[in-house]
Amino acid sequence: MNAPRPRRWWIALILNAIFPPIGYAYAGAWKTAVATVVLLLAGTVAANYWTLANPPGVYVFGQDGVLYGALALGAFLGLHAAAIAKSAPARGGRPSRLALLYILPWAVLFVANLLYSAYGPHPTYVMSSGSMEPTLRQGDIIIVDGARANCGGAGAKPGDVVVFRRPGTAEPLVHRIVAGPGQSVAMRESLLVVDGKPVRRWAMGSETTPDLAVRATELEEVLPNGARHTIYDLGTDADLDNVAPVTVPAGAWYMMGDNRDNAADSRTFGAVADRDVCAVVRKIVWSKDKSRVGREP
């Protein structure tokens, strides 16, 4: 039989700071370990819904703030486990068997977090390009309705900004639906034409764009169903300013970026099947321009 071994406080600290709640299990505080699993899972869900209801929520200091907050929580949990381990009685048993026992609560927490990340109803995404300016800017963090791993059936409609998988890839993109099944779409000298009729739009001014040296015209555009949004336009002679009419197939959507001259969208890769539409964007939860936080696209 293996002789009892003292619980090392520094081992409990390291384990709980990096892989909570293994440190509590190592220190013999099993009730605390179970409570930590429950509280961390409940906290993750609550933080997600709080962010949706009251942006910026957990992103009040951006992604860096979330990271630093997680590090601070890990440090607190590690110190707490270390304090418990200092007064914990020695424990005997086979080391390999004990190690598996200690890992169990962390494994439960890890798998549960993976499942919530994949199937939680309101994940967040970071805009990686300026294709949706002026609505969404590069670096914006958005929260959506729709699980990452459950694309299809997002309940989208023309005018919605959606997260979708680019045809033939698993790459998530964010664009606006401008037309649905059975509608025809064309571009005529940078003007969007749906079902043979140019959509209504009017100039609102001009803006300096971060990615280009020229100023973009800012226009408000109204789709046939009445949905309104703002776009950028650089002129009438770009590669995608003239596109021949196409009919959107059944069960598909035609996507376009709001930054019309700086977006690879359905004008280049065609309509997107509904099964590849993963989520509808709800709100901006973080932006360098704080006045934009909470806006719906």
Side-chain angles (χ1 to χ4, degrees):
M1 178 179 289
N2 293 304
R5 293 177 300 279
R7 325 255 186 170
R8 308 292 185 184
W9 67 267
W10 56 270
I11 293 179
L13 187 153
I14 294 172
L15 289 176
N16 226 42
I18 302 176
F19 304 111
I22 294 180
Y24 288 137
Y26 169 79
W30 283 98
K31 289 183 179 179
T32 305
V34 172
T36 301
V37 170
V38 173
L39 288 174
L40 288 177
L41 289 175
T44 297
V45 176
N48 185 223
Y49 277 89
W50 174 52
T51 300
L52 174 64
N54 300 284
V58 298
Y59 292 100
V60 63
F61 298 114
Q63 282 188 303
D64 288 345
V66 174
L67 174 60
Y68 294 144
L71 291 174
L73 177 61
F76 170 78
L77 293 176
L79 291 170
H80 189 221
I84 293 174
K86 281 185 177 182
S87 58
R91 168 97 186 240
R94 187 183 305 169
S96 59
R97 185 174 181 180
L98 289 175
L100 289 175
L101 190 62
Y102 297 155
I103 289 171
L104 180 61
W106 173 81
V108 171
L109 181 62
F110 179 75
V111 171
N113 271 319
L114 281 181
L115 290 174
Y116 190 74
S117 176
Y119 294 100
H122 304 296
T124 57
Y125 294 83
V126 180
M127 292 299 297
S128 59
S129 76
S131 64
M132 278 299 295
E133 291 182 355
T135 308
L136 302 172
R137 296 176 182 170
Q138 187 171 2
D140 283 357
I141 301 175
I142 55 176
I143 194 165
V144 306
D145 276 342
R148 296 179 192 274
N150 192 27
C151 297
K157 62 186 182 300
D160 285 343
V161 176
V162 297
V163 179
F164 63 97
R165 296 181 297 212
R166 179 170 177 164
T169 75
E171 176 189 6
L173 296 178
V174 179
H175 286 325
R176 189 182 300 277
I177 297 176
V178 297
Q183 292 186 294
S184 68
V185 183
M187 291 292 291
R188 188 184 305 154
E189 295 184 345
S190 84
L191 183 61
L192 175 63
V193 179
V194 178
D195 291 334
K197 298 179 180 179
V199 301
R200 291 187 295 130
R201 72 178 196 178
W202 51 90
M204 301 172 63
S206 63
E207 295 284 340
T208 301
T209 57
D211 301 329
L212 301 168
V214 298
R215 293 180 67 85
T217 301
E218 188 173 4
L219 304 110
E220 183 166 344
E221 186 174 77
V222 184
L223 297 178
N225 67 347
R228 294 169 177 260
H229 53 271
T230 306
I231 66 169
Y232 276 163
D233 185 35
L234 297 180
T236 62
D237 57 354
D239 292 341
L240 298 177
D241 282 337
N242 291 280
V243 177
V246 296
T247 299
V248 182
W253 303 98
Y254 200 91
M255 309 288 184
M256 292 186 71
D258 287 351
N259 195 350
R260 292 290 164 81
D261 295 296
N262 191 28
D265 47 34
S266 288
R267 292 172 292 177
T268 61
F269 52 69
V272 176
D274 188 65
R275 65 177 178 273
D276 289 323
V277 177
C278 305
V280 176
V281 178
R282 286 285 303 276
K283 296 177 182 178
I284 300 170
V285 296
W286 185 85
S287 177
K288 291 180 180 178
D289 179 357
K290 304 306 179 187
S291 68
R292 302 177 65 251
V293 172
R295 287 187 187 177
E296 299 180 2

